[in-house]
Amino acid sequence: MLQKTTQNIINYVIVQRMAELIGLTQKAVDRKIEDDMTKVTLQPDELEQLTGYEQATKQLNLLHKRGFTRAYIGRRGVVLERAHYEAVCQGLIDRPVAKEANLGFFRGRK
């Protein structure tokens, strides 16, 4: 974990230095980073439109039922990677099959 955090700090410093060299402002760098992140994950309004819910737990439950198994609740709500969303929608990832309990065991059947 510490190594990953250190690497993130190093990457951030490199980006800042490169921005200074080519004359970008801090605001432009932050906007670029934010734009890149919107390409990676679905935005809150997209998730709300997809699920019909604003509440993160309801969104997550519905997404999991629909086969988006990699969705999770992060610091700012539900996180769903755009690549996973597109793969599930295109049928490249099979939806999980719901397991049923073997209640016949209680009735004396196998």
Side-chain angles (χ1 to χ4, degrees):
M1 181 70 176
L2 182 61
Q3 185 179 11
K4 188 174 182 181
T5 304
T6 305
Q7 187 62 44
N8 288 343
I9 292 169
I10 292 169
N11 289 344
Y12 182 77
V13 170
I14 291 170
V15 168
Q16 294 300 322
R17 184 66 182 131
M18 289 174 64
E20 289 173 12
L21 291 173
I22 60 175
L24 289 176
T25 63
Q26 180 64 41
K27 197 172 197 176
V29 172
D30 290 343
R31 192 175 326 117
K32 174 69 174 137
I33 292 170
E34 188 176 312
D35 288 347
D36 288 346
M37 285 305 294
T38 61
K39 295 175 187 174
V40 174
T41 61
L42 269 66
Q43 294 302 297
D45 60 326
E46 292 176 302
L47 290 166
E48 186 178 332
Q49 203 172 33
L50 180 65
T51 62
Y53 294 114
E54 286 184 34
Q55 189 177 12
T57 53
K58 289 183 179 182
Q59 288 178 342
L60 184 64
N61 289 335
L62 186 60
L63 289 169
H64 282 175
K65 285 179 186 175
R66 291 184 178 172
F68 300 102
T69 55
R70 293 187 59 173
Y72 62 93
I73 295 181
R75 290 183 179 172
R76 295 189 175 131
V78 175
V79 177
L80 178 59
E81 299 163 350
R82 192 169 298 279
H84 178 67
Y85 167 76
E86 291 172 357
V88 171
C89 290
Q90 293 171 4
L92 300 175
I93 298 176
D94 293 331
R95 293 182 178 198
V97 178
K99 295 181 181 179
E100 295 182 19
N102 182 7
L103 299 178
F105 174 77
F106 293 113
R107 296 184 192 115
R109 293 180 263 147
K110 290 185 180 180

